[in-house]
Amino acid sequence: MKQTFSYSLALLLGGCGPHYLIPDSTGAPQKIVVSAYTNDGCVETLNEEAAKQGIKVRLTNVESDLGWGILFWPLYKSYKCTGEVVK
């Protein structure tokens, strides 16, 4: 029972995917990391998050973990985009 609950909790938390800001030494966003179900959706989400923060970003990395994405879709967003803040 306890192990089943742990797996269920891990699946629910994994459904959100990574989404966070990495601050620089002054506390301003230096990098933004978001996730989505598709490559295009990931780039779009990155740009939307940057607009919401009032900054501009340059896409620096797109990672995909399609193995997990196929197994746990639609709970797992398998694309992760990282953008660097443009000053």
Side-chain angles (χ1 to χ4, degrees):
M1 175 70 176
K2 194 174 192 179
Q3 189 175 20
T4 303
F5 176 74
S6 297
Y7 288 136
S8 299
L9 184 60
L11 283 175
L12 289 175
L13 293 176
C16 297
H19 184 105
Y20 49 89
L21 300 173
I22 301 172
D24 63 9
S25 59
T26 64
Q30 180 180 7
K31 291 186 179 182
I32 298 177
V33 179
V34 297
S35 63
Y37 295 110
T38 65
N39 186 35
D40 292 340
C42 195
V43 174
E44 184 178 324
T45 303
L46 179 67
N47 291 327
E48 288 173 358
E49 182 63 26
K52 189 166 73 172
Q53 297 293 325
I55 55 178
K56 293 188 179 205
V57 294
R58 177 177 53 93
L59 181 66
T60 57
N61 191 24
V62 178
E63 296 177 21
S64 175
D65 185 11
L66 289 178
W68 287 108
I70 291 169
L71 291 175
F72 294 113
W73 187 88
L75 299 175
Y76 186 77
K77 296 179 180 180
S78 56
Y79 286 87
K80 180 173 83 170
C81 292
T82 304
E84 189 173 313
V85 174
V86 178
K87 296 183 184 193

mmCIF file of all heavy atoms in Angstrom, residues 43-82:
data_model
loop_
_atom_site.group_PDB
_atom_site.id
_atom_site.type_symbol
_atom_site.label_atom_id
_atom_site.label_comp_id
_atom_site.label_asym_id
_atom_site.label_seq_id
_atom_site.Cartn_x
_atom_site.Cartn_y
_atom_site.Cartn_z
ATOM 1 N N VAL A 43 8.934 25.620 -26.925
ATOM 2 C CA VAL A 43 9.453 26.934 -27.317
ATOM 3 C C VAL A 43 8.399 28.010 -27.075
ATOM 4 O O VAL A 43 8.698 29.096 -26.563
ATOM 5 C CB VAL A 43 9.915 26.921 -28.791
ATOM 6 C CG1 VAL A 43 10.312 28.300 -29.250
ATOM 7 C CG2 VAL A 43 11.065 25.938 -28.978
ATOM 8 N N GLU A 44 7.157 27.707 -27.403
ATOM 9 C CA GLU A 44 6.066 28.656 -27.192
ATOM 10 C C GLU A 44 5.874 28.945 -25.700
ATOM 11 O O GLU A 44 5.709 30.106 -25.300
ATOM 12 C CB GLU A 44 4.774 28.091 -27.787
ATOM 13 C CG GLU A 44 3.609 29.033 -27.717
ATOM 14 C CD GLU A 44 2.368 28.453 -28.370
ATOM 15 O OE1 GLU A 44 2.500 27.747 -29.394
ATOM 16 O OE2 GLU A 44 1.275 28.701 -27.845
ATOM 17 N N THR A 45 5.916 27.924 -24.877
ATOM 18 C CA THR A 45 5.773 28.095 -23.432
ATOM 19 C C THR A 45 6.919 28.919 -22.869
ATOM 20 O O THR A 45 6.720 29.761 -21.990
ATOM 21 C CB THR A 45 5.708 26.720 -22.731
ATOM 22 O OG1 THR A 45 4.629 25.977 -23.289
ATOM 23 C CG2 THR A 45 5.510 26.865 -21.240
ATOM 24 N N LEU A 46 8.130 28.702 -23.377
ATOM 25 C CA LEU A 46 9.286 29.482 -22.939
ATOM 26 C C LEU A 46 9.075 30.960 -23.249
ATOM 27 O O LEU A 46 9.301 31.828 -22.400
ATOM 28 C CB LEU A 46 10.556 28.961 -23.616
ATOM 29 C CG LEU A 46 11.842 29.702 -23.277
ATOM 30 C CD1 LEU A 46 12.215 29.492 -21.817
ATOM 31 C CD2 LEU A 46 12.971 29.240 -24.176
ATOM 32 N N ASN A 47 8.625 31.265 -24.463
ATOM 33 C CA ASN A 47 8.384 32.661 -24.838
ATOM 34 C C ASN A 47 7.255 33.286 -24.023
ATOM 35 O O ASN A 47 7.325 34.457 -23.647
ATOM 36 C CB ASN A 47 8.092 32.766 -26.335
ATOM 37 C CG ASN A 47 9.319 32.471 -27.163
ATOM 38 O OD1 ASN A 47 10.440 32.770 -26.761
ATOM 39 N ND2 ASN A 47 9.125 31.877 -28.329
ATOM 40 N N GLU A 48 6.210 32.515 -23.732
ATOM 41 C CA GLU A 48 5.102 33.025 -22.913
ATOM 42 C C GLU A 48 5.564 33.325 -21.493
ATOM 43 O O GLU A 48 5.184 34.344 -20.914
ATOM 44 C CB GLU A 48 3.963 32.009 -22.890
ATOM 45 C CG GLU A 48 3.201 31.903 -24.185
ATOM 46 C CD GLU A 48 2.190 30.770 -24.194
ATOM 47 O OE1 GLU A 48 2.086 30.025 -23.194
ATOM 48 O OE2 GLU A 48 1.503 30.627 -25.221
ATOM 49 N N GLU A 49 6.374 32.450 -20.925
ATOM 50 C CA GLU A 49 6.886 32.667 -19.566
ATOM 51 C C GLU A 49 7.786 33.891 -19.524
ATOM 52 O O GLU A 49 7.739 34.677 -18.578
ATOM 53 C CB GLU A 49 7.639 31.433 -19.065
ATOM 54 C CG GLU A 49 8.156 31.560 -17.654
ATOM 55 C CD GLU A 49 7.083 31.730 -16.596
ATOM 56 O OE1 GLU A 49 5.942 31.289 -16.815
ATOM 57 O OE2 GLU A 49 7.387 32.330 -15.538
ATOM 58 N N ALA A 50 8.609 34.082 -20.548
ATOM 59 C CA ALA A 50 9.482 35.259 -20.609
ATOM 60 C C ALA A 50 8.647 36.537 -20.688
ATOM 61 O O ALA A 50 8.937 37.524 -20.002
ATOM 62 C CB ALA A 50 10.416 35.157 -21.805
ATOM 63 N N ALA A 51 7.596 36.521 -21.514
ATOM 64 C CA ALA A 51 6.722 37.692 -21.629
ATOM 65 C C ALA A 51 6.036 37.981 -20.294
ATOM 66 O O ALA A 51 5.892 39.145 -19.903
ATOM 67 C CB ALA A 51 5.691 37.470 -22.731
ATOM 68 N N LYS A 52 5.626 36.929 -19.596
ATOM 69 C CA LYS A 52 4.976 37.095 -18.293
ATOM 70 C C LYS A 52 5.937 37.717 -17.277
ATOM 71 O O LYS A 52 5.530 38.515 -16.439
ATOM 72 C CB LYS A 52 4.474 35.736 -17.795
ATOM 73 C CG LYS A 52 3.602 35.825 -16.569
ATOM 74 C CD LYS A 52 2.860 34.544 -16.313
ATOM 75 C CE LYS A 52 3.754 33.474 -15.790
ATOM 76 N NZ LYS A 52 3.038 32.275 -15.346
ATOM 77 N N GLN A 53 7.226 37.375 -17.379
ATOM 78 C CA GLN A 53 8.243 37.923 -16.477
ATOM 79 C C GLN A 53 8.733 39.304 -16.938
ATOM 80 O O GLN A 53 9.478 39.958 -16.227
ATOM 81 C CB GLN A 53 9.442 36.969 -16.391
ATOM 82 C CG GLN A 53 9.132 35.616 -15.817
ATOM 83 C CD GLN A 53 8.761 35.686 -14.352
ATOM 84 O OE1 GLN A 53 9.284 36.505 -13.600
ATOM 85 N NE2 GLN A 53 7.851 34.824 -13.935
ATOM 86 N N GLY A 54 8.346 39.720 -18.153
ATOM 87 C CA GLY A 54 8.760 41.010 -18.679
ATOM 88 C C GLY A 54 10.200 41.030 -19.179
ATOM 89 O O GLY A 54 10.866 42.055 -19.105
ATOM 90 N N ILE A 55 10.670 39.882 -19.671
ATOM 91 C CA ILE A 55 12.043 39.768 -20.155
ATOM 92 C C ILE A 55 12.047 39.096 -21.523
ATOM 93 O O ILE A 55 11.037 38.576 -21.967
ATOM 94 C CB ILE A 55 12.921 38.953 -19.169
ATOM 95 C CG1 ILE A 55 12.291 37.587 -18.909
ATOM 96 C CG2 ILE A 55 13.145 39.710 -17.885
ATOM 97 C CD1 ILE A 55 13.083 36.688 -17.999
ATOM 98 N N LYS A 56 13.203 39.117 -22.173
ATOM 99 C CA LYS A 56 13.377 38.404 -23.437
ATOM 100 C C LYS A 56 14.387 37.295 -23.210
ATOM 101 O O LYS A 56 15.337 37.444 -22.430
ATOM 102 C CB LYS A 56 13.880 39.347 -24.524
ATOM 103 C CG LYS A 56 12.865 40.387 -24.904
ATOM 104 C CD LYS A 56 13.316 41.174 -26.092
ATOM 105 C CE LYS A 56 12.226 42.183 -26.419
ATOM 106 N NZ LYS A 56 12.239 42.574 -27.794
ATOM 107 N N VAL A 57 14.170 36.165 -23.875
ATOM 108 C CA VAL A 57 15.067 35.025 -23.722
ATOM 109 C C VAL A 57 15.565 34.539 -25.076
ATOM 110 O O VAL A 57 14.929 34.770 -26.102
ATOM 111 C CB VAL A 57 14.396 33.846 -22.984
ATOM 112 C CG1 VAL A 57 14.087 34.187 -21.558
ATOM 113 C CG2 VAL A 57 13.165 33.376 -23.705
ATOM 114 N N ARG A 58 16.690 33.879 -25.022
ATOM 115 C CA ARG A 58 17.261 33.212 -26.194
ATOM 116 C C ARG A 58 17.283 31.726 -25.877
ATOM 117 O O ARG A 58 17.825 31.302 -24.847
ATOM 118 C CB ARG A 58 18.677 33.728 -26.445
ATOM 119 C CG ARG A 58 19.399 33.061 -27.591
ATOM 120 C CD ARG A 58 20.772 33.681 -27.817
ATOM 121 N NE ARG A 58 21.584 33.707 -26.613
ATOM 122 C CZ ARG A 58 22.462 32.763 -26.270
ATOM 123 N NH1 ARG A 58 22.646 31.726 -27.046
ATOM 124 N NH2 ARG A 58 23.155 32.867 -25.162
ATOM 125 N N LEU A 59 16.671 30.932 -26.715
ATOM 126 C CA LEU A 59 16.627 29.481 -26.521
ATOM 127 C C LEU A 59 18.046 28.927 -26.549
ATOM 128 O O LEU A 59 18.794 29.167 -27.492
ATOM 129 C CB LEU A 59 15.784 28.830 -27.614
ATOM 130 C CG LEU A 59 15.619 27.322 -27.547
ATOM 131 C CD1 LEU A 59 14.827 26.920 -26.311
ATOM 132 C CD2 LEU A 59 14.938 26.811 -28.802
ATOM 133 N N THR A 60 18.427 28.193 -25.500
ATOM 134 C CA THR A 60 19.778 27.635 -25.442
ATOM 135 C C THR A 60 19.797 26.117 -25.508
ATOM 136 O O THR A 60 20.797 25.540 -25.913
ATOM 137 C CB THR A 60 20.511 28.072 -24.155
ATOM 138 O OG1 THR A 60 19.745 27.675 -23.019
ATOM 139 C CG2 THR A 60 20.723 29.576 -24.144
ATOM 140 N N ASN A 61 18.694 25.474 -25.116
ATOM 141 C CA ASN A 61 18.707 24.016 -25.088
ATOM 142 C C ASN A 61 17.286 23.458 -25.125
ATOM 143 O O ASN A 61 16.392 23.996 -24.484
ATOM 144 C CB ASN A 61 19.427 23.526 -23.829
ATOM 145 C CG ASN A 61 19.713 22.050 -23.870
ATOM 146 O OD1 ASN A 61 19.801 21.447 -24.924
ATOM 147 N ND2 ASN A 61 19.887 21.457 -22.708
ATOM 148 N N VAL A 62 17.112 22.390 -25.876
ATOM 149 C CA VAL A 62 15.859 21.632 -25.874
ATOM 150 C C VAL A 62 16.228 20.178 -25.639
ATOM 151 O O VAL A 62 17.027 19.615 -26.371
ATOM 152 C CB VAL A 62 15.094 21.763 -27.209
ATOM 153 C CG1 VAL A 62 13.838 20.914 -27.179
ATOM 154 C CG2 VAL A 62 14.756 23.199 -27.513
ATOM 155 N N GLU A 63 15.677 19.602 -24.588
ATOM 156 C CA GLU A 63 15.926 18.198 -24.266
ATOM 157 C C GLU A 63 14.624 17.417 -24.384
ATOM 158 O O GLU A 63 13.555 17.950 -24.126
ATOM 159 C CB GLU A 63 16.461 18.055 -22.838
ATOM 160 C CG GLU A 63 17.799 18.703 -22.615
ATOM 161 C CD GLU A 63 18.245 18.587 -21.173
ATOM 162 O OE1 GLU A 63 17.757 17.699 -20.444
ATOM 163 O OE2 GLU A 63 19.063 19.411 -20.764
ATOM 164 N N SER A 64 14.746 16.159 -24.762
ATOM 165 C CA SER A 64 13.567 15.318 -24.877
ATOM 166 C C SER A 64 13.833 13.976 -24.211
ATOM 167 O O SER A 64 14.896 13.394 -24.363
ATOM 168 C CB SER A 64 13.223 15.099 -26.348
ATOM 169 O OG SER A 64 12.156 14.200 -26.449
ATOM 170 N N ASP A 65 12.847 13.526 -23.483
ATOM 171 C CA ASP A 65 12.914 12.226 -22.833
ATOM 172 C C ASP A 65 11.704 11.426 -23.313
ATOM 173 O O ASP A 65 10.762 11.188 -22.577
ATOM 174 C CB ASP A 65 12.900 12.393 -21.319
ATOM 175 C CG ASP A 65 13.097 11.089 -20.587
ATOM 176 O OD1 ASP A 65 13.441 10.093 -21.245
ATOM 177 O OD2 ASP A 65 12.911 11.064 -19.367
ATOM 178 N N LEU A 66 11.734 11.057 -24.587
ATOM 179 C CA LEU A 66 10.562 10.422 -25.180
ATOM 180 C C LEU A 66 10.255 9.046 -24.600
ATOM 181 O O LEU A 66 9.127 8.585 -24.686
ATOM 182 C CB LEU A 66 10.725 10.332 -26.699
ATOM 183 C CG LEU A 66 10.620 11.660 -27.428
ATOM 184 C CD1 LEU A 66 10.855 11.461 -28.916
ATOM 185 C CD2 LEU A 66 9.281 12.312 -27.195
ATOM 186 N N GLY A 67 11.218 8.391 -24.015
ATOM 187 C CA GLY A 67 10.948 7.092 -23.400
ATOM 188 C C GLY A 67 9.893 7.200 -22.320
ATOM 189 O O GLY A 67 8.903 6.474 -22.309
ATOM 190 N N TRP A 68 10.070 8.142 -21.402
ATOM 191 C CA TRP A 68 9.083 8.362 -20.344
ATOM 192 C C TRP A 68 7.826 8.992 -20.911
ATOM 193 O O TRP A 68 6.721 8.720 -20.455
ATOM 194 C CB TRP A 68 9.656 9.245 -19.241
ATOM 195 C CG TRP A 68 10.657 8.547 -18.407
ATOM 196 C CD1 TRP A 68 12.008 8.761 -18.419
ATOM 197 C CD2 TRP A 68 10.426 7.510 -17.472
ATOM 198 N NE1 TRP A 68 12.616 7.910 -17.539
ATOM 199 C CE2 TRP A 68 11.666 7.135 -16.938
ATOM 200 C CE3 TRP A 68 9.283 6.845 -17.025
ATOM 201 C CZ2 TRP A 68 11.794 6.138 -15.980
ATOM 202 C CZ3 TRP A 68 9.416 5.858 -16.071
ATOM 203 C CH2 TRP A 68 10.663 5.513 -15.558
ATOM 204 N N GLY A 69 7.982 9.870 -21.888
ATOM 205 C CA GLY A 69 6.821 10.536 -22.464
ATOM 206 C C GLY A 69 5.842 9.564 -23.079
ATOM 207 O O GLY A 69 4.628 9.719 -22.967
ATOM 208 N N ILE A 70 6.346 8.549 -23.737
ATOM 209 C CA ILE A 70 5.484 7.549 -24.360
ATOM 210 C C ILE A 70 4.792 6.709 -23.295
ATOM 211 O O ILE A 70 3.598 6.410 -23.393
ATOM 212 C CB ILE A 70 6.302 6.665 -25.315
ATOM 213 C CG1 ILE A 70 6.735 7.499 -26.527
ATOM 214 C CG2 ILE A 70 5.504 5.450 -25.759
ATOM 215 C CD1 ILE A 70 7.755 6.826 -27.402
ATOM 216 N N LEU A 71 5.504 6.350 -22.258
ATOM 217 C CA LEU A 71 4.931 5.490 -21.216
ATOM 218 C C LEU A 71 3.890 6.203 -20.349
ATOM 219 O O LEU A 71 2.917 5.594 -19.936
ATOM 220 C CB LEU A 71 6.040 4.952 -20.309
ATOM 221 C CG LEU A 71 6.981 3.940 -20.943
ATOM 222 C CD1 LEU A 71 8.104 3.602 -19.970
ATOM 223 C CD2 LEU A 71 6.238 2.688 -21.349
ATOM 224 N N PHE A 72 4.107 7.477 -20.067
ATOM 225 C CA PHE A 72 3.248 8.172 -19.108
ATOM 226 C C PHE A 72 2.447 9.325 -19.710
ATOM 227 O O PHE A 72 1.928 10.153 -18.982
ATOM 228 C CB PHE A 72 4.093 8.697 -17.939
ATOM 229 C CG PHE A 72 4.687 7.602 -17.119
ATOM 230 C CD1 PHE A 72 6.050 7.411 -17.092
ATOM 231 C CD2 PHE A 72 3.884 6.748 -16.394
ATOM 232 C CE1 PHE A 72 6.608 6.397 -16.345
ATOM 233 C CE2 PHE A 72 4.427 5.724 -15.644
ATOM 234 C CZ PHE A 72 5.790 5.550 -15.619
ATOM 235 N N TRP A 73 2.342 9.389 -21.049
ATOM 236 C CA TRP A 73 1.548 10.441 -21.653
ATOM 237 C C TRP A 73 0.101 10.263 -21.247
ATOM 238 O O TRP A 73 -0.372 9.132 -21.206
ATOM 239 C CB TRP A 73 1.678 10.372 -23.187
ATOM 240 C CG TRP A 73 1.030 11.527 -23.852
ATOM 241 C CD1 TRP A 73 1.601 12.721 -24.119
ATOM 242 C CD2 TRP A 73 -0.314 11.606 -24.302
ATOM 243 N NE1 TRP A 73 0.704 13.535 -24.716
ATOM 244 C CE2 TRP A 73 -0.501 12.879 -24.844
ATOM 245 C CE3 TRP A 73 -1.396 10.741 -24.301
ATOM 246 C CZ2 TRP A 73 -1.688 13.313 -25.370
ATOM 247 C CZ3 TRP A 73 -2.596 11.163 -24.826
ATOM 248 C CH2 TRP A 73 -2.732 12.436 -25.357
ATOM 249 N N PRO A 74 -0.642 11.229 -20.884
ATOM 250 C CA PRO A 74 -0.414 12.666 -20.882
ATOM 251 C C PRO A 74 0.054 13.217 -19.543
ATOM 252 O O PRO A 74 0.001 14.410 -19.317
ATOM 253 C CB PRO A 74 -1.776 13.219 -21.226
ATOM 254 C CG PRO A 74 -2.718 12.296 -20.536
ATOM 255 C CD PRO A 74 -2.054 10.930 -20.641
ATOM 256 N N LEU A 75 0.520 12.373 -18.656
ATOM 257 C CA LEU A 75 0.957 12.843 -17.348
ATOM 258 C C LEU A 75 2.355 13.451 -17.365
ATOM 259 O O LEU A 75 2.702 14.223 -16.490
ATOM 260 C CB LEU A 75 0.948 11.681 -16.340
ATOM 261 C CG LEU A 75 -0.408 11.037 -16.092
ATOM 262 C CD1 LEU A 75 -0.254 9.830 -15.187
ATOM 263 C CD2 LEU A 75 -1.363 12.035 -15.495
ATOM 264 N N TYR A 76 3.149 13.105 -18.352
ATOM 265 C CA TYR A 76 4.555 13.501 -18.354
ATOM 266 C C TYR A 76 4.859 14.370 -19.567
ATOM 267 O O TYR A 76 4.645 13.950 -20.703
ATOM 268 C CB TYR A 76 5.433 12.244 -18.366
ATOM 269 C CG TYR A 76 6.905 12.508 -18.222
ATOM 270 C CD1 TYR A 76 7.443 12.811 -16.988
ATOM 271 C CD2 TYR A 76 7.743 12.426 -19.321
ATOM 272 C CE1 TYR A 76 8.797 13.033 -16.839
ATOM 273 C CE2 TYR A 76 9.101 12.652 -19.189
ATOM 274 C CZ TYR A 76 9.617 12.948 -17.944
ATOM 275 O OH TYR A 76 10.958 13.172 -17.812
ATOM 276 N N LYS A 77 5.345 15.576 -19.330
ATOM 277 C CA LYS A 77 5.755 16.476 -20.409
ATOM 278 C C LYS A 77 7.208 16.163 -20.737
ATOM 279 O O LYS A 77 8.097 16.406 -19.930
ATOM 280 C CB LYS A 77 5.590 17.925 -19.983
ATOM 281 C CG LYS A 77 4.143 18.287 -19.726
ATOM 282 C CD LYS A 77 4.012 19.710 -19.285
ATOM 283 C CE LYS A 77 2.558 20.049 -19.046
ATOM 284 N NZ LYS A 77 2.394 21.427 -18.616
ATOM 285 N N SER A 78 7.451 15.602 -21.900
ATOM 286 C CA SER A 78 8.765 15.029 -22.183
ATOM 287 C C SER A 78 9.757 15.989 -22.836
ATOM 288 O O SER A 78 10.885 15.607 -23.086
ATOM 289 C CB SER A 78 8.608 13.791 -23.059
ATOM 290 O OG SER A 78 7.908 14.099 -24.231
ATOM 291 N N TYR A 79 9.371 17.222 -23.122
ATOM 292 C CA TYR A 79 10.306 18.200 -23.684
ATOM 293 C C TYR A 79 10.619 19.264 -22.643
ATOM 294 O O TYR A 79 9.713 19.783 -21.989
ATOM 295 C CB TYR A 79 9.720 18.873 -24.927
ATOM 296 C CG TYR A 79 9.706 17.972 -26.128
ATOM 297 C CD1 TYR A 79 8.647 17.112 -26.362
ATOM 298 C CD2 TYR A 79 10.769 17.962 -27.024
ATOM 299 C CE1 TYR A 79 8.627 16.275 -27.455
ATOM 300 C CE2 TYR A 79 10.764 17.126 -28.123
ATOM 301 C CZ TYR A 79 9.684 16.280 -28.332
ATOM 302 O OH TYR A 79 9.689 15.443 -29.415
ATOM 303 N N LYS A 80 11.896 19.589 -22.491
ATOM 304 C CA LYS A 80 12.337 20.612 -21.546
ATOM 305 C C LYS A 80 13.161 21.643 -22.298
ATOM 306 O O LYS A 80 14.142 21.285 -22.958
ATOM 307 C CB LYS A 80 13.157 19.984 -20.425
ATOM 308 C CG LYS A 80 13.655 20.983 -19.402
ATOM 309 C CD LYS A 80 14.325 20.321 -18.229
ATOM 310 C CE LYS A 80 15.754 20.008 -18.556
ATOM 311 N NZ LYS A 80 16.556 19.586 -17.413
ATOM 312 N N CYS A 81 12.762 22.897 -22.227
ATOM 313 C CA CYS A 81 13.464 23.998 -22.896
ATOM 314 C C CYS A 81 14.118 24.907 -21.866
ATOM 315 O O CYS A 81 13.520 25.223 -20.852
ATOM 316 C CB CYS A 81 12.497 24.850 -23.711
ATOM 317 S SG CYS A 81 11.805 24.009 -25.131
ATOM 318 N N THR A 82 15.336 25.317 -22.179
ATOM 319 C CA THR A 82 16.055 26.264 -21.337
ATOM 320 C C THR A 82 16.345 27.497 -22.165
ATOM 321 O O THR A 82 16.810 27.410 -23.300
ATOM 322 C CB THR A 82 17.384 25.659 -20.846
ATOM 323 O OG1 THR A 82 17.108 24.436 -20.165
ATOM 324 C CG2 THR A 82 18.108 26.600 -19.918
#
